Amino acid sequence: MYFFARTTSVDEMGYAMSRLETESELCDGGKTIPEAGSSKRASNWLNNLDHEIAQVTKLKSSPHKQLAELVPGMHKSSVSTVKMLVGREANYSARGRFSAADRCHMLSRYLPVNGPWLVDQMSTRAYVSQFSADGSLFVAGFQGSYIRIYNVEKGWKVQKNILAKSLRWTVTDTSLSPDQRHLLDNIPNDRSTFTNTFTNHQNLKVYASMSPIVHIVDAGSAETESLANVTEFHDGLDFSSGDGGYSFGIFSVKFSTDGRELVAGSNDDSIYVYDLEQNKLSLRILAHTSDVNTVCFADESGHLIFSGSDDNLCKVWDRRCFIAKGKPAGVLTGHLEGITFIDSHGDGRYFISNGKDQTIKLWDIRKMAPNATSYSGLRNYEWDYRWMDYPYEARDLKHPCDQSVATYKGHSVLRTLIRCYFSPVYSTGQKYIYTGSHDSCVYIYDLVTGELVSLLQHHKSPVRDCSWHPYYPMLVSSSWDGDVVKWEFPGNGEAPVPSTKKRIRRRQFD
């Protein structure tokens, strides 16, 4: 199913189912992916979407049937907050409280679209940003070796200024340990390593770059100014397997849910798993035929890993059987260009991916194939996303063997590895997808209908990353214009940043 973020009629949206049982003629003897030729047909496709994730999303964010009842036998899909509160007080649900779905039904309508309010301004590009798991901290990484950790609960006070070690080019990724005290960052640096053993794998922040060394910072220490190996020790984890002279860069790094391992994707086409308790590299997988731009654990178990690459493929890796098989558990085909980011739904089944073909795709790993479907007949043009606009003739192309569940269009993925995410479980039931964009905006899509729910406009340069608070209606966007801004509902009582305000740059590092 294809979704186009436009405000014109549904006739122009071009919805299409992309199930394995309705593949193209190249994949299944003359069958074609059905297209919506009219608004009525498009609506039917939406109304008849029977995929499991549509039902799961509905269950997560629909009110109790007693609260939604207008008259006996008649129900309303959307119930006002006032009626929900009255129903709770009258104990219509016989529970005396709201369920998680009731809560999401109310909170998911209050989108963080007001503002923005300025969090910080830097004179360098913002590359990564993320809330901690409980939303009390926010981390932003900038070009030029700078990382800042803000205390959200204390008025966004800068809790830690980090000057990264031996940076090459930029901070490519950061990750905060589950207990929120240690930061990982990935930055291009020298080959030096340290000998500390991380028997205590908690309280870490890691950062990564175009280097095989990932650095760890104690994000919970009392030291505010964290200059690498000057005011604080930034220990280095060597992902290079001890191969002399071998160097590569890391694009993506993530903690496991238990904080015991790291998974990383690199520009040597590989996936790496690092055991923090043993302080050593535990697994290297030659995973793709091009840069691995993004990796993540599929769920809390840590058994499954998702990866996305410039070879246009998403792959699923099962560590329980990889040693015996030496190949992925499955491959998902559908993107026409390289994949910039993957976010897991957290259930070990679904994930979304952002692609340089200007689309987000929703995947169900139960549809994966054992091998990639090779098809080279689509691209007959030369294009590089780093400095060229996406070719007009490629905008309506579809992969004939697309295994995705749905496709979302409207945003722009150019110049940098732009990221996309599911909205939070607690407040929205993951009923939205949101992404940065090269056109300086943040896009929020409805997961099931594909509708563009909101477009956040403020920045003057590409928005590479954005992060939705896990509990509050608050979203923070970070851009190459150096601005880090927050969007809220209903707001904090302060005047938002005027779009014409003269830009005042703060020092890069205080």
Side-chain angles (χ1 to χ4, degrees):
M1 180 171 287
Y2 278 77
F3 301 119
F4 294 76
R6 300 174 64 178
T7 57
T8 52
S9 68
V10 183
D11 292 324
E12 302 179 23
M13 291 185 179
Y15 293 97
M17 296 298 289
S18 59
R19 298 177 176 175
L20 292 181
E21 60 267 29
T22 56
E23 290 176 338
S24 73
E25 56 185 339
L26 293 180
C27 302
D28 193 15
K31 292 182 180 180
T32 58
I33 297 175
E35 299 272 354
S38 68
S39 59
K40 182 177 180 180
R41 288 186 62 192
S43 297
N44 287 340
W45 279 121
L46 292 178
N47 294 334
N48 295 328
L49 180 61
D50 59 359
H51 198 278
E52 180 182 305
I53 194 169
Q55 182 65 15
V56 169
T57 304
K58 180 180 178 181
L59 291 173
K60 283 183 176 181
S61 56
S62 295
H64 189 276
K65 62 180 181 180
Q66 296 292 338
L67 295 173
E69 198 170 76
L70 295 172
V71 296
M74 294 183 64
H75 296 270
K76 189 177 181 181
S77 59
S78 180
V79 182
S80 73
T81 300
V82 172
K83 289 182 178 180
M84 292 287 289
L85 292 171
V86 170
R88 183 187 66 179
E89 295 304 308
N91 199 22
Y92 287 170
S93 64
R95 288 190 301 257
R97 59 182 175 81
F98 284 140
S99 67
D102 293 337
R103 181 188 65 234
C104 287
H105 181 73
M106 289 196 303
L107 294 180
S108 63
R109 71 184 66 187
Y110 301 121
L111 297 179
V113 298
N114 292 347
W117 289 268
L118 186 66
V119 172
D120 207 348
Q121 279 187 328
M122 298 285 279
S123 60
T124 58
R125 296 172 173 178
Y127 268 79
V128 294
S129 57
Q130 63 177 137
F131 278 106
S132 60
D134 70 353
S136 64
L137 300 177
F138 183 81
V139 180
F142 303 87
Q143 192 172 25
S145 307
Y146 303 105
I147 302 169
R148 279 181 168 171
I149 302 177
Y150 306 87
N151 191 315
V152 178
E153 297 178 347
K154 294 183 178 180
W156 293 84
K157 178 182 178 181
V158 176
Q159 179 168 304
K160 188 174 286 291
N161 266 322
I162 300 171
L163 180 59
K165 175 179 171 57
S166 305
L167 182 67
R168 295 177 189 167
W169 179 44
T170 187
V171 175
T172 55
D173 204 3
T174 66
S175 186
L176 198 61
S177 63
D179 74 343
Q180 306 174 177
R181 288 203 55 190
H182 287 77
L183 177 75
L184 291 175
D185 50 7
N186 199 28
I187 54 169
N189 58 32
D190 59 27
R191 298 273 306 173
S192 62
T193 61
F194 305 98
T195 58
N196 280 11
T197 301
F198 298 96
T199 54
N200 175 13
H201 50 77
Q202 300 300 311
N203 308 326
L204 297 171
K205 171 81 172 79
V206 294
Y207 59 86
S209 67
M210 298 308 295
S211 159
I213 309 298
V214 170
H215 287 92
I216 288 188
V217 181
D218 185 352
S221 69
E223 186 67 51
T224 300
E225 304 299 325
S226 180
L227 281 67
N229 304 328
V230 177
T231 62
E232 281 194 321
F233 191 58
H234 294 193
D235 212 334
L237 310 178
D238 191 353
F239 280 64
S240 64
S241 305
D243 301 332
Y246 181 54
S247 184
F248 55 87
I250 293 177
F251 285 120
S252 177
V253 62
K254 294 290 182 292
F255 270 105
S256 61
T257 303
D258 61 11
R260 298 173 184 271
E261 293 182 305
L262 300 173
V263 63
S266 70
N267 67 350
D268 67 344
D269 312 341
S270 299
I271 297 171
Y272 294 86
V273 178
Y274 197 98
D275 188 322
L276 289 171
E277 291 192 324
Q278 299 295 321
N279 193 24
K280 67 177 183 179
L281 191 68
S282 60
L283 178 65
R284 180 199 174 196
I285 304 171
L286 187 56
H288 291 266
T289 59
S290 190
D291 294 353
V292 180
N293 295 324
T294 176
V295 290
C296 68
F297 289 103
D299 56 20
E300 294 182 353
S301 72
H303 297 312
L304 296 180
I305 295 172
F306 298 149
S307 65
S309 167
D310 275 340
D311 63 10
N312 308 350
L313 299 176
C314 295
K315 293 186 178 182
V316 181
W317 305 88
D318 191 336
R319 297 166 63 192
R320 294 166 294 188
C321 58
F322 174 75
I323 300 300
K325 293 184 177 181
K327 62 179 184 179
V331 181
L332 289 158
T333 304
H335 277 294
L336 299 174
E337 300 290 346
I339 293 147
T340 64
F341 197 74
I342 282 176
D343 187 42
S344 174
H345 196 251
D347 54 10
R349 290 183 177 179
Y350 300 102
F351 67 92
I352 54 174
S353 59
N354 226 351
K356 298 175 184 178
D357 56 3
Q358 317 304 299
T359 68
I360 293 174
K361 286 187 177 289
L362 172 65
W363 307 91
D364 180 345
I365 69 170
R366 292 169 294 184
K367 291 181 176 289
M368 63 189 180
N371 299 296
T373 302
S374 177
Y375 186 74
S376 57
L378 290 175
R379 187 171 185 182
N380 58 1
Y381 51 86
E382 292 296 325
W383 177 69
D384 192 315
Y385 93 119
R386 292 173 295 180
W387 56 76
M388 300 171 68
D389 290 336
Y390 196 58
Y392 181 81
E393 62 270 24
R395 295 180 185 276
D396 295 325
L397 292 178
K398 302 179 181 70
H399 198 292
C401 300
D402 189 355
Q403 296 166 284
S404 64
V405 175
T407 300
Y408 308 81
K409 289 187 175 183
H411 63 292
S412 176
V413 184
L414 297 169
R415 310 296 183 267
T416 186
L417 303 178
I418 290 172
R419 302 180 168 198
C420 64
Y421 303 91
F422 289 101
S423 62
V425 175
Y426 179 87
S427 59
T428 71
Q430 296 178 297
K431 69 180 295 183
Y432 303 114
I433 291 171
Y434 64 103
T435 179
S437 180
H438 172 258
D439 64 8
S440 311
C441 300
V442 176
Y443 286 70
I444 303 176
Y445 300 101
D446 186 290
L447 173 67
V448 176
T449 69
E451 177 186 358
L452 178 62
V453 178
S454 187
L455 182 68
L456 308 184
Q457 298 175 291
H458 161 75
H459 294 285
K460 307 302 181 186
S461 296
V463 177
R464 190 179 190 270
D465 206 357
C466 45
S467 185
W468 196 317
H469 194 284
Y471 300 110
Y472 303 144
M474 177 192 298
L475 186 148
V476 177
S477 57
S478 57
S479 168
W480 274 13
D481 62 13
D483 278 8
V484 179
V485 299
K486 61 178 178 175
W487 308 80
E488 295 184 276
F489 182 95
N492 58 11
E494 300 176 3
V497 180
S499 59
T500 58
K501 179 180 178 180
K502 183 179 180 180
R503 306 180 65 79
I504 301 174
R505 296 298 187 185
R506 293 177 56 174
R507 288 183 297 165
Q508 293 180 357
F509 196 81
D510 297 324

